[in-house]
Each structure stands twice: as structure tokens, then as C-alpha cells.
Amino acid sequence: MILIVDFGSQFNQLIARRVRENEVYCQIEPAGHSLDKIKALNPDGIILSGGPASIYEENSPSIDPGIFKLGIPVLGICYGMHFMIQALGGKIARPVKREYGFATLKIKNIFETISNTPESINNTSQKTKNAHEETNEQNSLSLFKGMDSSFQCWMSHGDSTENLPDNFVVTASTENTEIAAIADVKNRLFGLQFHPEVEHTINGTAMIKNFLFDVCHCKKSWNMESFANGAIAQIKEAVQDKKVIMGLSGGVDSSVAALLIHKAIGKNLHCIFVDNGLLRKNEKENLEKSLTANLDMNISFVDKRKKFLDALKDVTDPEKKRKEIGRLFIEVFEAEAAKIEGADFLGQGTLYPDIIESKSAFGGPTSIIKSHHNVGGLPEKMNLKLIEPLQLLFKDEVRKLGIELGLNEDMVWRQPFPGPGLAIRIMGAVSEKRLSILREADALLLEEIRQAGLYRELWQSFAVLLPIKSVGVMGDKRTYDSCIAIRAVNSKDAMTADWARLPHDLLAKISNRIINEVDGVNRVVFDITSKPPGTIEWE
Ligand code: XMP
């Protein structure tokens, strides 16, 4: 296990991704843990993340410096390196030149470095050299093993190193930063001023790999098969012969979580799927086929279309729509759950990023922005214990797990779909007729996007029904009908998004098909707004 200490870097999850891509398990923990807690976690290596703070600011994040004496290898990145240097007796200062963006990294021959390092940087160079020569095994420990002597890295820092602690040598430099990488090979302590976890750093992934396998001697044991086996055994142990209730949304997370619980306890998992009438074309049928017919899961499909549509009649305000739908969902879910006797647990598809964001002392505004999308309050109100079997996984791992468990590709690769469904893609009041227009247009759009091979690549692609009518001609007749907007965006996490540059021919085909095949639509427009300033959804 690799422990990643969170000093507040925006790239923490990226570091974790890089470690897990190598089939090594890692955990992100907030700075400030006691030495005992760190020992109890028993990591094979520790990565100290970067962070926005400066080491000499008051209350800058820290961790017990005793970690450097545990004999566990440590890799400090940017702020993490500064922390290590200061904790071990070196000095950090503001640089003459700030460095932000690309830089060319020049790797040093470590033995040349030792004899050439100026006294101001390393006043114990001879001692260090002797220490280095102790064993050949130590000499081969370089994060840069197998790399060219010069390549591009990505920097983002204000502070830089003035003096190194004893035993450290400089292992790489850039034009503006003499001390761009350091190592105390004997004690297996390494520091990188640049960010190996971002794609812009050539060989960054290989550096992390060298740290994991050459330095920490990690074994490749983290894959979805071993995860699934472990999780199934844990769920069995926790639930015993009790029952678990779970709400299904049709999305990847809740489907995979439910499937995992199903593999552990079979029919004692009771899933509830509420048909609120705001679903896309064939959505319920597809879910039924994938989970019930193919995988034999125990699911109650509750038809509440009328209840939701009645409640939404005349509601035009977006927030009122959301609130009303959220309120009704809880009401319906609770009533359905009450019918299941002997349930002690509530299953949920919470993912690792949600957990890290709510735990991180330095987590930016992310958690706040996301919370308004969650339907809150279920567990507390219902007095059930939570089972969240995906809480250690990232989204792409959840997808791999879904495949491992036998979920079909369509479900595994489904684009995100908001809880309030088509209600927030119909501008103005929601009605049966307007839902039907949007459903047909959306289905045609998705069919064409899939056919063009773009479905997986796009974060989301969907149709929006506008609250206006416009004039057209069809054949010899004048028409006065509705307008559909096409929305397609690229994004990594929905916090920001860019409108997708769909090919013109594809747009033409989608537009033609919607106007010809969907009754009541005579105009199609393409949304070219990014987020920010726009949002992905229209309401
Ligand atoms: P926006 O429109 O805020 O959307 O840019 C960001 C992401 O969140 C989804 N979304 C929602 N999901 N309930 C949800 O479960 C909601 O009320 C909601 N509103 C937006 C949206 O589809 C996108 O992926």
C-alpha cells in the first residue's frame, strides 16, 4: 500500500490514479495524522503531495517528521519536497524566478553530482558519496532509470530549495531551478520539484513506476478481480442473513454497487427503481433487461409516472422542479422500503472522489458545488446502516469492475444523467406531450452519436426542448413548431466543460432526422456554450 499525504494539491487524485494504474493500492489521507496512525496504516511507501501553501506560511500543512525515520521510502512532490527538506534541516526560499509551465529537465549523473555539488548546496558531499557507495543495490535506485538525460517536465511553484539537508544530492535541474530533483538514496528519500503525475511531464508515469517497484518493492496486487473477491467476502461478513435496500438510478455507480452486493447476498438485496416518468426512451426496459433478465437481480420497478407528472404540472422554475422531484423521490422510496421487512442496511454507490472531497481539510469548492446534486437525507431518516462497496474506487475502476461482474457495455459506459431527468431538459412546464417530443429527439441524437463512434468520448450528449416556437415550411405548408437544442460537451469531472466540436455532417444528419422524424419539431440549434460561464444542463 502506498500512502498519499494530502497537502492540498489539485492533483492528488491524479497521483492516486497513477499509482493504481500500476496495480498497486493507495490511499489518500489528510495531512496531520499522528505517527502512530501512519504506522498503523503500514504503507510500503509514502508520497507527499504538492499543495498551494508555502512552507514558511503560518499553519502550512504538515505531518509528523518522524515519518522520515521509519525506514519507509518517501517521495515528496513540490510542496511535499519542500516539507521534507525543511523537516530534515534544509532551507526553502522564494526563488528569483517563479517557474510555471513547461521546463526542460536535465538529469544528472548522480556520482558526478556528488563531487560537483557546491558546498552551499551540499556541505557533506564527501560523506554522502561514501554513503552512496555502500551497496550497489542502492546505487541503482534512481527515479530516472531508463530515461533520456533531458526531457520536458511541468513545473508550478513559487518557492524553491536553497540548502539541502545532509545526505541529499541533486539529481536533476532545469534552467531556472537548479534543485529540480533530489535524492537521499541510502534512506530512500526522493523529492521532485515538478509534477510527475501530470501528463505534460514526459516520463512522469515511469518515475512513479520506478518509485513503486524499485524503491518500495511493491507487488502488483490491485486489480478488479481481487477487489471484487475481497469486497464480496466483506459484504457477506457484514450483512450476514439481513437484508439490504438500494435505490437504482440506472447509472453506472448504483448498478455496479448493487451488482456487487447481489453477488454477495443474492436475493437478500432488494433494489428499488422509481419510474418517475422523466426517463429517456427505453431506459427502464434496458435496465430491466441488463439487471433482471441477464443477472437475475431482485428489483421492484415502481411506476409513479402519474404522481410526478401531476406534481410538476405548471412548475416552471428549475429549482422548484428539482425540489419537488427530490421530495417525491424520498417519499416514494421510503414507502417502498417500508414494505421490505427485516432490512438493516442501505446500499449506496458512493465513489472514492466523493469520500476524499468530503474528508480533505484543504478540498476546494468542489465538495460544495457537488452537494446540491445529491439527494440528501435518506440514511439518517431511514435509520439504516450504510453499505458503500465502491468507496475505494475511481470512476474508471468502477467501469472495469462492472465489466468484471458481467454488466453489459451499454450500462458500463453510460453517460451521466441527472436525477431530475428530462424535467430539467424541458424549459418551462413539463407535460406528457413535451416529454414525448424530447424523448424521441434525444433518442435520435444518441443513436447518431453512437453511430459516429463518439458516445464514449463525449462526457454528455443530449437534446433540450426549448420553450419557444418558430416558423418553418414543410412541403407546401407553413409550420409553427418547437425547437430542439443539441448539447454535447467534453469534460473530465463536470466541474468545467467545453462544447464538443461535433462534425458538421453529423450535426446536419441529427438535425434532418429530428425535424423529419419527430412530430412537433421544426427547428434544431446547436449549443456552443462552455462551462463556465454556462452549465452543462440548461436548468
Ligand atoms: P451542470 O448543469 O451543473 O451539471 O453543469 C454538472 C453535472 O451534474 C449533472 N446534474 C445533476 N445531477 N441532479 C443530478 O443528479 C441534478 O439536479 C443535476 N443537475 C446537473 C449534470 O448532468 C452534469 O453531469
Side-chain angles (χ1 to χ4, degrees):
M1 191 274 261
I2 294 290
L3 168 67
I4 298 167
V5 177
D6 177 6
F7 282 148
S9 165
Q10 54 176 325
F11 301 129
N12 278 342
Q13 294 193 28
L14 214 47
I15 304 175
R17 294 289 324 117
R18 297 283 171 262
V19 174
R20 289 193 181 184
E21 273 161 19
N22 284 297
E23 296 181 35
V24 173
Y25 178 63
C26 65
Q27 235 169 278
I28 302 179
E29 294 289 329
H33 276 347
S34 69
L35 201 55
D36 282 344
K37 177 132 193 208
I38 290 168
K39 280 193 211 157
L41 288 167
N42 195 21
D44 297 295
I46 298 173
I47 298 179
L48 305 177
S49 86
S54 166
I55 198 77
Y56 47 74
E57 265 172 30
E58 232 180 286
N59 297 327
S60 56
S62 68
I63 192 134
D64 193 319
I67 58 163
F68 300 113
K69 306 280 182 239
L70 294 175
I72 300 173
V74 181
L75 168 61
I77 298 173
C78 199
Y79 178 89
M81 169 171 121
H82 299 166
F83 179 79
M84 178 159 71
I85 289 169
Q86 201 186 48
L88 294 172
K91 189 159 182 244
I92 305 298
R94 280 201 185 282
V96 185
K97 289 182 192 160
R98 289 176 61 85
E99 217 174 4
Y100 182 87
F102 296 110
T104 303
L105 192 71
K106 294 210 163 66
I107 311 296
K108 305 202 172 193
N109 175 319
I110 193 164
F111 294 105
E112 202 179 292
T113 316
I114 292 165
S115 48
N116 292 342
T117 306
E119 287 300 289
S120 65
I121 289 175
N122 190 335
N123 53 18
T124 54
S125 57
Q126 191 53 46
K127 237 177 24 193
T128 316
K129 183 171 181 179
N130 295 340
H132 275 251
E133 284 166 352
E134 272 176 21
T135 68
N136 283 338
E137 196 237 330
Q138 281 171 17
N139 293 346
S140 71
L141 289 185
S142 164
L143 298 188
F144 306 125
K145 195 182 86 183
M147 296 170 200
D148 292 343
S149 59
S150 171
F151 51 85
Q152 171 187 290
C153 70
W154 196 79
M155 290 274 190
S156 168
H157 67 108
D159 298 347
S160 65
T161 308
E162 202 169 278
N163 269 331
L164 283 179
D166 286 355
N167 299 330
F168 277 86
V169 289
V170 179
T171 55
S173 305
T174 68
E175 197 177 75
N176 291 334
T177 307
E178 163 64 21
I179 303 179
I182 55 167
D184 165 357
V185 180
K186 183 170 175 237
N187 293 307
R188 296 190 294 170
L189 304 177
F190 297 85
L192 300 175
Q193 177 63 78
F194 57 90
H195 290 271
E197 69 276 24
V198 304
E199 273 173 27
H200 307 309
T201 295
I202 311 283
N203 294 323
T205 307
M207 287 171 212
I208 289 174
K209 198 169 170 183
N210 288 343
F211 180 69
L212 297 179
F213 299 113
D214 290 354
V215 180
C216 304
H217 304 299
C218 290
K219 299 258 168 345
K220 288 185 177 237
S221 61
W222 175 253
N223 58 49
M224 285 308 115
E225 190 190 345
S226 66
F227 171 82
N229 293 336
I232 290 168
Q234 274 177 12
I235 297 167
K236 273 188 184 152
E237 172 69 27
V239 178
Q240 305 276 338
D241 56 357
K242 298 282 189 315
K243 289 178 183 163
V244 178
I245 301 175
M246 179 148 188
L248 288 184
S249 68
V252 191
D253 307 345
S254 64
S255 302
V256 174
L259 189 49
L260 196 60
I261 301 174
H262 167 77
K263 298 262 178 195
I265 61 167
K267 296 282 178 190
N268 274 347
L269 169 67
H270 290 253
C271 296
I272 297 168
F273 179 86
V274 179
D275 182 351
N276 56 12
L278 306 168
L279 305 173
R280 287 167 296 181
K281 193 172 178 181
N282 295 330
E283 191 153 17
K284 180 177 148 260
E285 292 72 15
N286 289 341
L287 187 89
E288 211 161 358
K289 196 165 130 217
S290 322
L291 298 184
T292 315
N294 297 350
L295 298 164
D296 196 29
M297 285 173 59
N298 193 1
I299 308 177
S300 314
F301 288 89
V302 193
D303 183 353
K304 294 290 171 189
R305 286 178 293 181
K306 185 164 179 333
K307 193 179 179 86
F308 279 82
L309 282 194
D310 285 351
L312 288 175
K313 198 167 164 274
D314 305 327
V315 181
T316 52
D317 178 74
E319 281 316 298
K320 277 206 186 114
K321 281 184 189 171
R322 270 202 181 75
K323 284 220 172 77
E324 197 54 19
I325 295 165
R327 183 186 68 77
L328 279 180
F329 175 78
I330 292 175
E331 188 184 308
V332 171
F333 189 85
E334 280 181 341
E336 288 304 313
K339 295 180 190 163
I340 299 161
E341 274 174 37
D344 273 16
F345 296 90
L346 179 75
Q348 282 194 336
T350 318
L351 302 193
Y352 196 41
D354 306 327
I355 304 266
I356 311 170
E357 274 157 21
S358 57
K359 202 158 78 164
S360 169
F362 312 99
T366 345
S367 30
I368 302 160
I369 293 171
K370 273 196 180 158
S371 66
H372 91 268
H373 290 157
N374 293 339
V375 185
L378 270 184
E380 292 91 314
K381 273 183 122 186
M382 297 177 71
N383 220 0
L384 296 167
K385 285 176 251 170
L386 277 184
I387 290 252
E388 297 175 306
L390 309 182
Q391 60 166 289
L392 293 177
L393 303 186
F394 288 102
K395 189 84 175 187
D396 58 334
E397 292 174 321
V398 170
R399 292 204 160 105
K400 278 191 203 145
L401 178 63
I403 300 274
E404 179 74 37
L405 297 174
L407 199 61
N408 66 28
E409 295 248 337
D410 273 358
M411 293 280 297
V412 165
W413 285 101
R414 218 185 71 136
Q415 290 176 354
F417 184 62
L422 298 183
I424 56 167
R425 293 180 181 173
I426 292 178
M427 307 300 99
V430 177
S431 67
E432 198 81 76
K433 175 145 196 301
R434 301 190 77 207
L435 274 165
S436 145
I437 292 177
L438 180 59
R439 228 174 245 135
E440 292 306 318
D442 190 65
L444 288 179
L445 181 150
L446 285 178
E447 189 184 318
E448 290 302 328
I449 294 278
R450 280 204 168 90
Q451 198 131 42
L454 294 174
Y455 183 80
R456 277 194 200 183
E457 193 179 300
L458 294 169
W459 174 264
Q460 277 172 291
S461 45
F462 55 87
V464 178
L465 180 60
L466 304 191
I468 50 163
K469 288 191 163 192
S470 71
V471 173
V473 277
M474 267 182 134
D476 291 333
K477 270 202 273 161
R478 176 184 177 280
T479 57
Y480 186 56
D481 270 334
S482 292
C483 178
I484 285 282
I486 299 171
R487 183 70 165 143
V489 295
N490 293 310
S491 173
K492 282 212 170 356
D493 54 10
M495 305 303 294
T496 61
D498 194 12
W499 62 276
R501 274 49 169 180
L502 296 183
H504 287 178
D505 288 349
L506 175 63
L507 287 170
K509 200 162 172 206
I510 294 171
S511 161
N512 272 340
R513 284 198 66 190
I514 291 178
I515 291 168
N516 285 321
E517 297 175 41
V518 183
D519 244 4
V521 179
N522 69 349
R523 191 174 296 266
V524 172
V525 296
F526 184 39
D527 180 357
I528 52 168
T529 318
S530 291
K531 172 184 181 175
T535 50
I536 297 175
E537 304 290 345
W538 273 47
E539 281 194 340

